[in-house]
Amino acid sequence: MPTDPRGLRGDAPLLDAWLRFHEEAPTPFTIPGHKQRLDLVGDVVAGDVPLYAGLDTMKLTRGVLGDAEDRAARLFGADIARLSVGGSTHGNQALALAVGRPGDRVVVSRTLHRSMLLGLALGGLEPVWVRPEVDPRHGLPIGVDPASVDEALTGAPDAVAVFVGEPSYVGTLGDVGALAEVSHRHDVPLVVDAAWGAHLGFHPALPPHALAAGADALVTSAHKTLPAISQGALVLARTGRIERSRFDAAIEATATTSPSGAILASIDAARALMERDGETLLGPVIDAVAAMRARLARIRGLVVLDGPGVDPLRLVLVLPGTGADGNAVEADLLCHRMPVEMADRDTVVAMVTVADTPGRLEDLAVALAESIDRHRSEARPVRTSGVWAVEPVMAMSPRQAFFAARERVPVDRAIGRVSAELVAPYPPGIPVLAPGEEITSETVDVLRQARAAGSRIAYAADPSVRTLDVVIE
Ligand SMILES: Cc1ncc(COP(=O)(O)O)c(C=O)c1O
């Protein structure tokens, strides 16, 4: 029988319903087809309870989802909260559908995740790009300058929203308060993709979450930095500049009609845990990461991201000064069965959450230090990965290009043509090429370099990048 070791069920209606389902052990004549039997495909379906005819009745008469969403809204100071089983991907795409109409312009950070860029294609929105500053000391982005958003909104007075990603994939933090102030001065909502920031605001050493800092909408992956099941996400909004009915319609339009109750219950439980114990649980891990950073920073040539502009939980190592190759370091860590979130030649990113213990982090620090020493060689200069620096040349809207007739051509003949596809080295999944952009020799170089640095080239029809799909004009 499943347990509730921290006694959260009284504060988490969906968790309570999930536990109750197991306690009552009904004989369902509903989906899912496994009917809770573990002798057919095995334990892989254990705990899979649907929302409909699972956590609630098929007619949703108990209202447990609404109760959980109201609690999330109260905690985050939002007017609306939706729990999603579709990851931040779902939230980003729903917000793209909610804020404008086809043909509307939006100011967008070019380092947004592919889910938002495809959201632009879904919603027919036309991007006006802004770009985060890059810190030359480590070659990584440090947040979008509010002045560049101001300039973009002044140049595009018809724009209907601003979209940024905060914190960045590498844990750097921009000034969401100032971005909100600028957006509101131009009377448009600020939408923050905080996929990596679900823990923000739950400890005094962490910055406030985006809504508390003044944003109008916040999308976050509960499964990334909180202890929720994969795909669990929260979409939160204030209704002053975002229309409730458009928001609801957009969420529904992009959501499954068979949500996993287990995922929903885990988001609710993670919310209840952070609300009650967040500060107590986060404190020791924040301290352990600080100690780990101080220890790793003593490694000759290694740059460890730190300071007020960096998420205290994110461990990001910049390797060029050590001469070590991050892919080799990752391979060593895999031998220790310690996979990391991201590694390419120059960067290693380890995810730390409340589920980590100081002992586990100590083991990681030792393994990292040993591996970097083993692979140490001549220092390379720090360079900014093209992923963060690409200057897109827009030829048509993402939507037009997405639906246009396309053909596959060898990459050298693709230069000068309009891309029909989205191509992103993964992680971080930030597009180097988006539908509607002209393919330039620079973008091709960036893709080749990313591949040579060990990144997987994701979403491309041809991941070897020998060919690209282009629009037939
Ligand atoms: C910045 C950003 N936004 C959104 C997403 C999508 O999140 P999910 O995987 O929860 O759909 C990711 C995933 O890595 C991301 O890095």
Side-chain angles (χ1 to χ4, degrees):
M1 185 67 68
T3 58
D4 174 24
R6 289 181 183 262
L8 291 171
R9 70 188 295 176
D11 298 325
L14 291 172
L15 173 67
D16 182 52
W18 183 84
L19 289 163
R20 196 136 47 94
F21 182 92
H22 290 91
E23 288 153 6
E24 290 170 358
T27 309
F29 292 96
T30 64
I31 58 167
H34 56 68
K35 308 267 180 127
Q36 311 301 321
R37 279 181 56 178
L38 303 185
D39 59 331
L40 297 170
V41 295
D43 287 343
V44 70
V45 295
D48 176 37
V49 178
L51 170 68
Y52 295 93
L55 301 192
D56 204 335
T57 60
M58 194 57 101
K59 296 191 169 66
L60 297 188
T61 48
R62 294 185 193 136
V64 281
L65 178 59
D67 185 1
E69 291 181 334
D70 287 348
R71 286 168 192 253
R74 274 199 298 279
L75 177 62
F76 282 87
D79 297 320
I80 341 174
R82 298 299 300 266
L83 270 51
S84 169
V85 302
S88 287
T89 297
H90 175 206
N92 281 339
Q93 296 186 344
L95 278 159
L97 286 181
V99 296
R101 293 178 174 74
D104 281 347
R105 291 202 285 177
V106 286
V107 171
V108 190
S109 163
R110 186 59 174 82
T111 51
L112 269 202
H113 187 251
R114 64 134 190 175
S115 54
M116 178 52 74
L117 280 171
L118 289 170
L120 301 181
L122 285 176
L125 302 176
E126 312 225 346
V128 176
W129 299 119
V130 286
R131 156 170 311 293
E133 309 284 296
V134 170
D135 186 329
R137 284 170 302 171
H138 47 62
L140 296 169
I142 48 164
V144 176
D145 182 355
S148 66
V149 171
D150 194 13
E151 197 182 315
L153 286 169
T154 305
D158 55 329
V160 295
V162 174
F163 289 97
V164 295
E166 277 287 331
S168 74
Y169 184 78
V170 288
T172 46
L173 299 155
D175 186 346
V176 177
L179 292 170
E181 191 275 313
V182 167
S183 306
H184 296 165
R185 191 148 27 88
H186 290 267
D187 201 20
V188 295
L190 174 69
V191 177
V192 178
D193 172 0
W196 296 100
H199 58 301
L200 299 190
F202 289 110
H203 188 281
L206 296 170
H209 61 72
L211 283 189
D216 299 272
L218 182 174
V219 176
T220 193
S221 297
H223 72 96
K224 290 196 196 306
T225 62
L226 303 185
I229 299 179
S230 295
Q231 298 177 209
L234 283 156
V235 195
L236 303 138
R238 295 226 177 85
T239 49
R241 290 186 174 81
I242 290 185
E243 209 178 308
R244 182 185 288 265
S245 59
R246 287 284 307 279
F247 177 95
D248 282 339
I251 287 278
E252 293 304 336
T254 40
T256 173
T257 46
S258 313
S260 152
I263 298 177
L264 293 174
S266 76
I267 305 168
D268 190 29
R271 185 271 312 149
L273 181 71
M274 295 315 282
E275 183 164 3
R276 196 189 65 188
D277 302 334
E279 188 170 335
T280 318
L281 291 171
L282 281 161
V285 231
I286 290 172
D287 291 346
V289 173
M292 201 176 167
R293 283 179 177 170
R295 173 182 179 156
L296 292 169
R298 289 197 287 272
I299 295 178
R300 185 165 43 88
L302 184 66
V303 175
V304 183
L305 260 56
D306 205 351
V310 181
D311 174 359
L313 277 197
R314 205 91 163 137
L315 186 74
V316 179
L317 308 183
V318 182
L319 296 168
T322 69
D325 182 329
N327 297 295
V329 173
E330 179 186 35
D332 283 355
L333 292 170
L334 282 172
C335 290
H336 287 91
R337 298 202 304 279
M338 288 186 200
V340 286
E341 175 60 34
M342 178 209 155
D344 64 15
R345 192 185 52 176
D346 292 344
T347 322
V348 173
V349 180
M351 274 292 293
V352 181
T353 74
V354 290
D356 287 303
T357 58
R360 276 165 74 139
L361 295 174
E362 168 75 16
D363 291 347
L364 176 61
V366 170
L368 279 166
E370 279 175 11
S371 176
I372 292 168
D373 259 350
R374 183 159 48 253
H375 298 292
R376 178 176 289 288
S377 66
E378 201 183 321
R380 312 181 286 276
V382 171
R383 64 176 181 89
T384 300
S385 158
V387 172
W388 309 115
V390 100
E391 289 291 351
V393 182
M394 291 296 296
M396 61 177 70
S397 79
R399 185 184 179 89
Q400 249 182 318
F402 185 84
F403 289 108
R406 57 179 75 190
E407 63 179 334
R408 189 157 304 167
V409 297
V411 69
D412 293 325
R413 280 192 15 231
I415 292 170
R417 303 280 303 268
V418 178
S419 178
E421 59 177 340
L422 186 149
V423 186
Y426 204 98
I430 291 161
V432 163
L433 201 53
E437 288 175 7
E438 185 182 318
I439 299 165
T440 62
S441 47
E442 287 77 32
T443 45
V444 169
D445 284 349
V446 168
L447 289 173
R448 285 182 172 144
Q449 279 160 17
R451 201 155 180 267
S455 294
R456 174 173 70 91
I457 305 300
Y459 321 123
D462 172 5
S464 74
V465 209
R466 279 193 280 272
T467 61
L468 283 169
D469 281 7
V470 298
V471 170
I472 300 175
E473 286 166 276

